[in-house]
Amino acid sequence: MPELPLPSSNRGIAVVSLGVSFVALGLKYAAYATSGSIALYADALETIINVVAAAGGLWALSVAELPADTNHPYGHHKAEYLSAVAEGALVVITAFVIGHEAVEGWLHPNPPKAPWLGLGLNALATVVNLAWGLIMLRVGQKRRSPALMAGGQHVLSDVWTGVALVVGVTLIPLTGWVRLDAILAGLLAVNVLRVGWEVMRESVSGLMDEAPEPETMAEIRSIIAANGKGAIEAHDIRTRIVGAVTFLEFHLVVPGTMSVNTAHDICDRIEAALRASMGSTLVHIHVEPDTHAKREGIVFWKGPAETCPAPDALPDTGANA
């Protein structure tokens, strides 16, 4: 199946997302206006937050793509996390607003008017969100963008609630149970609250430089182990992932008699392998003599330093290009 011609930059994706959010909002507001359903009104209210969040994501991605400067030598990537935290907070606020509407609907129930037209419009908006949410999630995972991932998760949560609302609101005219409308709005509020909490939790983890998943750390260690021939060990490995960039540092112990050129070549080989596998990666390797070996971390050679085999002839990796 051929892929859609999407913008190459994350900012371009955010622009498209903002447009899709406006389309979904128009359809859902029309669904509420024609039906008068409280549940569909709650759904439209959540979509307003989608629009605001998409605008915030556009700002964050515009900032995140700025190059490093004197004031931000490590780049502006964390702007994406700020956007995701703000989006999560807006979603939580929306959940309480929807909950209030649900209570009012329970206390003062009114049967929806023209529910079938409203359901049709809401279902169309759900299909639009499903298609775009899956695209955002896939692109966000591929580009390792917290802002796109948060946006995709939010849109997809809107899809599942949309499906539930279509099914639930369909039952109102069939069963004649008017208060079902308020119950559906209440369930929507709970789901929105859950999504907002998850988005905020993941974003705060990124801002706090939480360690990557064990699988990612295992991959990093495996790459270092496979490309460190000639060294004695690598220890104190620390890494953090900020947006699409991986920051990695560790100590590389080499024989004290090894030349600077040879140690530099080993570092180049490790760095090139890490970038080939991890994508955009900033690596800092502190080279130490064998007297600083801890015999922990990744051990390449367990014998005396003077018997450590020399590395093979190292091809030009282009690490310094």
Side-chain angles (χ1 to χ4, degrees):
M1 180 179 177
E3 294 201 2
L4 294 173
L6 297 173
S8 58
S9 69
N10 289 350
R11 183 178 181 276
I13 295 291
V15 171
V16 177
S17 184
L18 183 58
V20 172
S21 296
F22 272 114
V23 171
L25 176 59
L27 290 170
K28 291 193 175 185
Y29 180 79
Y32 157 67
T34 57
S35 67
S37 165
I38 296 176
L40 296 185
Y41 169 70
D43 200 19
L45 188 62
E46 184 195 5
T47 307
I48 293 177
I49 300 302
N50 286 358
V51 173
V52 175
L58 175 58
W59 168 84
L61 290 167
S62 298
V63 174
E65 290 183 354
L66 293 175
D69 55 31
T70 304
N71 291 330
H72 305 88
Y74 293 98
H76 301 75
H77 308 287
K78 283 195 174 182
E80 294 195 40
Y81 291 117
L82 293 174
S83 169
V85 169
E87 179 177 343
L90 287 171
V91 171
V92 170
I93 293 172
T94 304
F96 284 104
V97 174
I98 294 173
H100 176 266
E101 293 297 325
V103 172
E104 287 295 316
W106 178 269
L107 296 176
H108 309 287
N110 287 305
K113 57 183 180 181
W116 304 117
L117 178 57
L119 285 172
L121 292 170
N122 193 272
L124 180 57
T126 299
V127 171
V128 171
N129 278 335
L130 175 61
W132 183 243
L134 291 174
I135 291 173
M136 282 192 74
L137 207 58
R138 187 179 74 246
V139 174
Q141 290 172 338
K142 184 177 181 180
R143 300 183 184 181
R144 292 165 60 189
S145 168
L148 293 182
M149 289 285 292
Q153 290 169 351
H154 189 183
V155 171
L156 285 181
S157 73
D158 199 24
V159 169
W160 310 133
T161 55
V163 171
L165 286 177
V166 168
V167 174
V169 175
T170 299
L171 295 176
I172 296 174
L174 296 179
T175 62
W177 190 23
V178 179
R179 279 196 169 93
L180 179 59
D181 200 19
I183 293 174
L184 292 171
L187 292 175
L188 175 60
V190 172
N191 184 63
V192 170
L193 184 63
R194 177 190 62 81
V195 172
W197 170 254
E198 286 296 320
V199 170
M200 291 179 66
R201 183 187 62 80
E202 293 177 7
S203 302
V204 170
S205 296
L207 286 171
M208 294 298 293
D209 293 328
E210 185 176 281
E213 296 293 329
E215 295 79 9
T216 301
M217 288 302 302
E219 180 184 1
I220 290 172
R221 293 174 64 89
S222 176
I223 293 170
I224 295 173
N227 292 276
K229 184 177 180 182
I232 295 175
E233 74 178 32
H235 59 243
D236 293 347
I237 301 172
R238 297 189 298 176
T239 187
R240 59 193 177 97
I241 297 177
V242 182
V245 180
T246 300
F247 292 86
L248 174 65
E249 61 181 73
F250 61 91
H251 294 193
L252 185 72
V253 179
V254 300
T257 57
M258 178 177 285
S259 70
V260 173
N261 281 339
T262 302
H264 185 265
D265 287 341
I266 296 174
C267 292
D268 278 356
R269 178 172 61 185
I270 295 174
E271 290 179 21
L274 286 167
R275 292 192 180 100
S277 177
M278 305 294 296
S280 181
T281 308
L282 295 180
V283 186
H284 176 75
I285 304 176
H286 178 68
V287 178
E288 298 178 329
D290 54 83
T291 54
H292 287 64
K294 295 183 178 180
R295 299 303 175 185
E296 63 181 34
I298 302 172
V299 180
F300 305 107
W301 180 250
K302 297 182 179 180
E306 58 271 15
T307 64
C308 181
D312 297 333
L314 301 176
D316 181 11
T317 60
N320 294 321

